Amino acid sequence: MPRLWLGNACTEHMVDRMDLLTQNDFDGILFAMKRLVWLMRDGDALILPRPVPDDFLHHVAQHTGISPALIHVIAPDTDLLTQDLLHSKEILGRLRELVTPDWEFCPYIHDRGAEVFARELGLVTGSRFVAEGGAELLNSKVVFRALAAGAGFAVPDGMPCRTTEDLLRTLHRLLAAYPAVILKRDRAVGGHGNTVITTDPHLEGTGAQRTIVLGDPADNEQVLKEAGLTTTHAPQGEIVLEVFHPGCTSVYVEVDCPEHGEAVVLNGGQLRTDQHPPVLAGLALPPRSVPGPAWEHFTSEALRMARFMQSLGYRGLASIDAVIDQAGNVWFNEVNARLGGSTHLHHIAETLVGPDWSDGHVLISRFNVRAPALAHLLRTMREHGLAWDPRHGHGIVIASDDTAATGNIEYVALAHNHEEASALEDQLTGLLAQHDS
């Protein structure tokens, strides 16, 4: 059956402070949504905020075998798919002529806005839990901590905070025992809303947009301003304050919680970070620097968490995140109950290598990489032997292209081992540096 894909990565149900997002934030979110083209089959339809460049569409089609003439991309060229826009003649009106009740509905996040939209088209979505906002509950860092702790999963020491008293007393308790804590807004994406708080001026706050070094009690005011709390309520949403483990490794697994059958692990890996700011910049599948016993414990517990989510009524894909500290302890810190940053990567690897791709291959990705126009980049990659080569089973493909708007791409290097993948990446980095110089 055909599928209707909805690129709704940024909604009021997923991001608590839409007013804090900058144009760069919107560009990054919209850039990520173009990845959904890799998931399409002939006959499918995709709703995106911005159009898909023809060169990128044909690059994807070359590898997946889809025909650009047999898919439908509806993109009004805007920063945000608002509810008004989704229900407009431009989008809903066009889909009424195309979509029938037998279509499968595939939103990036199945929030209540997506459910309302699906019902307008007469689509049956399957999970009552999700239809009532269940995915949003799981995506909440505040709710996640309560559910995970109650079900016996290891979460970092800390607590959700609603008031100034909650925050200051918890901050004092944690910093008396640990070198750093991390403050997280309840609903934010990609490291936005994360602030590391420490008394160590040399500590590197990987995974956060900002680091606050506390030198005296007056610095608490800066923390309170960052949190947006008052003594009585939380006008900017609740926050989570929890221990930050310096030198930890951030890991994830993507799971599928089907309507019928057992939950399964689809893929897993390690998060890659940039330096300035030190936030998510790509993934490595499988992880490159995680001890075997710690990884086995994490994946086993993540599968148990997927079964727990399934028991609540959650259906669909989810990414389960944790950190592994230097002692090998696993600490779960959030669930992304939606399509994740590895969904398209896993599909790319399956498309290029096969369903058992991880038996003999590794994958590394990096996004927000400066690059020339895609047609020029692809030609240069072919000339230097970097493009995906099915005969030798290694090479690079472009996972998302935004060179026309922001000059950025996401690339995927697929190879037989991490050394080979790193060599491909290094060669590409060298070529891109020549372009920037």
Side-chain angles (χ1 to χ4, degrees):
M1 71 180 72
R3 299 171 299 177
L4 174 60
W5 297 92
L6 177 60
N8 62 334
C10 186
T11 75
E12 60 273 72
H13 299 102
M14 187 172 174
V15 179
D16 55 8
R17 289 297 309 276
M18 300 282 284
D19 59 305
L20 296 181
L21 296 179
T22 66
Q23 188 59 52
N24 285 339
D25 295 331
F26 282 119
D27 288 341
I29 293 166
L30 299 171
F31 171 84
M33 288 301 91
K34 294 180 183 178
R35 301 164 172 168
L36 296 177
V37 176
W38 278 98
L39 307 181
M40 298 184 75
R41 301 189 299 243
D42 285 347
D44 286 359
L46 169 63
I47 308 166
L48 290 178
R50 287 185 185 159
V52 178
D54 287 341
D55 286 339
F56 178 58
L57 183 57
H58 285 91
H59 173 65
V60 174
Q62 172 191 347
H63 294 292
T64 64
I66 62 171
S67 171
L70 298 179
I71 62 173
H72 311 272
V73 179
I74 301 174
D77 200 7
T78 182
D79 282 343
L80 191 64
L81 290 175
T82 64
Q83 291 295 308
D84 284 346
L85 185 55
L86 281 177
H87 292 268
S88 68
K89 184 177 180 180
E90 183 178 4
I91 295 180
L92 189 62
R94 288 180 61 184
L95 290 173
R96 288 193 192 281
E97 300 174 0
L98 175 67
V99 173
T100 57
D102 63 331
W103 279 50
E104 182 181 355
F105 184 51
C106 302
Y108 181 79
I109 176 172
H110 198 138
D111 59 13
R112 282 166 285 178
E115 179 68 18
V116 169
F117 181 66
R119 292 184 183 187
E120 286 291 310
L121 290 167
L123 299 178
V124 177
T125 57
S127 169
R128 294 180 61 188
F129 176 74
V130 171
E132 296 290 340
E136 300 161 49
L137 284 177
L138 293 170
N139 279 317
S140 161
K141 297 178 181 69
V142 170
V143 174
F144 168 77
R145 278 187 63 92
L147 291 176
F153 293 96
V155 296
D157 190 4
M159 71 174 296
C161 300
R162 177 175 286 273
T163 71
T164 299
E165 286 298 312
D166 294 342
L167 175 63
L168 290 181
R169 293 183 184 279
T170 302
L171 180 65
H172 182 269
R173 176 178 68 83
L174 294 178
L175 286 181
Y178 303 96
V181 299
I182 186 167
L183 181 152
K184 302 177 180 179
R185 285 213 320 270
D186 186 27
R187 300 174 188 271
V189 293
H192 295 284
N194 290 359
T195 301
V196 169
I197 305 165
T198 181
T199 55
D200 180 359
H202 304 294
L203 184 136
E204 182 177 349
T206 302
Q209 290 279 347
R210 297 186 58 203
T211 296
I212 296 176
V213 180
L214 299 181
D216 59 64
D219 292 335
N220 287 338
E221 292 302 316
Q222 189 177 1
V223 176
L224 294 176
K225 182 178 179 182
E226 190 75 17
L229 301 185
T230 74
T231 55
T232 57
H233 66 292
Q236 296 185 16
E238 294 183 67
I239 60 96
V240 164
L241 197 65
E242 62 187 26
V243 172
F244 177 80
H245 294 279
C248 65
T249 302
S250 296
V251 293
Y252 83 94
V253 293
E254 184 174 33
V255 297
D256 183 18
C257 300
E259 185 174 357
H260 304 291
E262 289 288 321
V264 295
V265 171
L266 298 178
N267 60 83
Q270 180 176 338
L271 278 60
R272 310 176 75 196
T273 56
D274 272 336
Q275 293 299 316
H276 305 290
V279 294
L280 177 65
L283 296 175
L285 291 67
R288 309 178 75 165
S289 57
V290 176
W295 180 252
E296 291 174 11
H297 175 65
F298 167 55
T299 54
S300 175
E301 282 289 89
L303 185 56
R304 183 170 76 87
M305 184 172 290
R307 296 188 184 113
F308 173 64
M309 294 166 60
Q310 200 176 27
S311 73
L312 295 173
Y314 182 74
R315 301 292 181 266
L317 300 179
S319 181
I320 298 171
D321 295 356
V323 296
I324 299 177
D325 66 22
Q326 294 179 323
N329 300 305
V330 176
W331 305 98
F332 286 86
N333 50 15
E334 69 177 32
V335 158
N336 294 303
R338 53 172 171 78
L339 275 66
S342 69
T343 304
H344 67 298
L345 302 179
H346 180 69
H347 184 78
I348 288 171
E350 282 194 324
T351 299
L352 299 181
V353 178
D356 299 323
W357 70 270
S358 59
D359 289 346
H361 282 76
V362 302
L363 182 155
I364 56 176
S365 73
R366 186 169 289 276
F367 53 82
N368 289 338
V369 177
R370 299 289 297 174
L374 184 62
H376 174 74
L377 173 62
L378 293 175
R379 183 169 60 251
T380 302
M381 285 168 49
R382 289 192 296 269
E383 291 171 353
H384 288 81
L386 296 180
W388 170 252
D389 183 349
R391 296 169 303 169
H392 296 98
H394 67 187
I396 295 173
V397 298
I398 305 305
S400 187
D401 166 45
D402 203 38
T403 50
T406 63
N408 291 328
I409 61 163
E410 176 184 18
Y411 62 77
V412 170
L414 194 59
H416 297 97
N417 52 60
H418 281 302
E419 291 73 24
E420 188 178 89
S422 294
L424 288 168
E425 182 175 51
D426 290 343
Q427 292 178 64
L428 179 61
T429 300
L431 292 175
L432 295 176
Q434 295 176 25
H435 162 69
D436 261 353
S437 61

